[in-house]
């Protein structure tokens, strides 16, 4: 089954304790991306990757890191989490079209993170 | 800077009461538009991609249309299972995909 898998789905942590949210896709997609979703602010892009070792900032990258060492995986790293990073996080992937744009995005089920 | 605005923010409908949602954008060189549906606490689910002005696509009770400045998502004779938040996003020029804030639709039986 084609899917994007995120882990953990739920996490409560404390300020400053490094954490990683993993994302894996089984569709051989070139493009992967992370979003956070907050009430009233909608979905905001954190980072995206067009292929292995190619990443770039989205609209809200501060406080986050990513890496793309393998095509299927795109982990999101919070080196020193703060309470304002409490949010619902989504990973997504898609093929890149011949026109050089993203195709339809497939989203994971989300990871709800609380930073105390 | 590209901007995407969805209206209304919320829409409450009776079952069978058709309505439309709007997605307007200021995007230079629009390459297309995505529509997604999102259920509470879940990841968005792809509905449509529209690529050119005048294009229309349908799926069950949903029909999406596209002009040069805006897109509409028409819901015909909605059912309670159509309750969700509907999101739009222009197909990006530079891989940065920006979503509108969404329209939350509630359909009462």
């Amino acid at each position: 089954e084609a899917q994007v898998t995120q882990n953990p789905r739920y996490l409560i942590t404390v300020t400053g304790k490094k954490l990683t949210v993993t994302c894996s896709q089984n569709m051989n997609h070139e493009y992967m991306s992370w979003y956070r979703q907050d009430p009233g602010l909608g979905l905001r892009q954190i980072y995206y990757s067009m292929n292995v070792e190619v990443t770039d900032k989205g609209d809200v990258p501060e406080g986050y890191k990513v890496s793309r060492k393998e095509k299927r995986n795109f982990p999101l790293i919070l080196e020193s989490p703060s309470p304002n990073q409490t949010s619902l996080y989504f990973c997504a992937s898609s093929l890149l079209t011949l026109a050089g744009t993203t195709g339809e995005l497939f989203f994971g089920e989300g990871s709800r993170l609380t930073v105390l | 800077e590209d901007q995407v605005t969805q209206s209304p923010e919320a829409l409450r409908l009776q079952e069978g009461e058709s309505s439309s949602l709007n997605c307007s954008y200021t995007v230079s060189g629009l390459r297309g538009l995505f529509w997604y549906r999102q259920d509470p606490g879940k990841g968005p689910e792809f509905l449509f991609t529209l690529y050119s002005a005048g294009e229309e696509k349908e799926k069950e009770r949903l029909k999406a249309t596209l002009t040069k400045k805006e897109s509409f998502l028409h819901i015909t004779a909605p059912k309670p299972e159509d309750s969700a938040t509907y999101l739009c996003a222009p197909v990006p020029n530079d891989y940065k995909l920006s979503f509108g804030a969404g329209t939350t639709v509630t359909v009462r039986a």
Side-chain angles (χ1 to χ4, degrees):
Chain A
E1 180 190 350
Q3 59 186 2
V4 177
T5 304
Q6 297 179 224
N7 280 296
R9 295 287 316 281
Y10 302 91
L11 179 63
I12 300 174
T13 189
V14 295
T15 298
K17 186 176 181 182
K18 180 179 178 180
L19 68 92
T20 299
V21 186
T22 64
C23 175
S24 180
Q25 50 93 5
N26 63 359
M27 295 167 280
N28 202 35
H29 286 168
E30 299 94 352
Y31 183 88
M32 297 186 75
S33 183
W34 276 102
Y35 293 86
R36 62 178 289 174
Q37 188 170 39
D38 303 288
L41 296 176
L43 274 168
R44 294 181 291 167
Q45 192 176 45
I46 304 170
Y47 269 95
Y48 61 93
S49 169
M50 291 81 81
N51 216 324
V52 175
E53 303 290 3
V54 184
T55 64
D56 207 347
K57 297 176 181 179
D59 293 321
V60 288
E62 297 78 18
Y64 305 95
K65 287 176 58 177
V66 293
S67 69
R68 187 97 180 268
K69 293 184 170 58
E70 302 168 286
K71 196 172 187 179
R72 63 183 293 125
N73 296 323
F74 190 46
L76 180 69
I77 303 157
L78 285 73
E79 293 271 3
S80 182
S82 62
N84 65 11
Q85 293 179 296
T86 292
S87 187
L88 179 58
Y89 291 86
F90 289 102
C91 179
S93 72
S94 80
L95 291 170
L96 290 178
T97 69
L98 292 175
T101 65
T102 60
E104 65 172 273
L105 284 174
F106 291 78
F107 282 83
E109 286 294 302
S111 296
R112 187 168 293 280
L113 171 65
T114 301
V115 183
L116 301 175
Chain B
E1 183 178 309
D2 297 344
Q3 295 226 352
V4 184
T5 304
Q6 291 190 246
S7 62
E9 288 185 19
L11 192 58
R12 295 175 67 86
L13 302 171
Q14 284 293 129
E15 185 171 3
E17 179 188 359
S18 301
S19 189
S20 295
L21 286 53
N22 178 262
C23 171
S24 63
Y25 37 81
T26 55
V27 176
S28 56
L30 184 72
R31 303 178 80 167
L33 189 93
F34 296 116
W35 279 100
Y36 287 82
R37 169 196 169 118
Q38 186 177 24
D39 294 307
K42 300 211 165 182
E45 181 182 328
F46 172 77
L47 290 173
F48 307 108
T49 310
L50 302 166
Y51 288 106
S52 56
E55 187 175 0
E56 297 182 353
K57 287 192 176 175
E58 291 187 58
K59 181 177 181 178
E60 296 182 3
R61 294 173 293 281
L62 301 177
K63 183 167 90 170
T65 62
L66 184 68
T67 72
K68 288 186 178 179
K69 295 286 188 188
E70 58 190 347
S71 178
F72 292 94
L73 184 65
H74 308 278
I75 311 178
T76 301
K79 297 183 177 182
E81 53 262 44
D82 295 321
S83 297
T85 296
Y86 292 88
L87 303 166
C88 68
V91 174
N93 291 311
D94 57 359
Y95 305 109
K96 290 178 71 170
L97 190 58
S98 296
F99 284 85
T103 295
T104 299
V105 175
T106 304
V107 183
R108 292 177 289 180

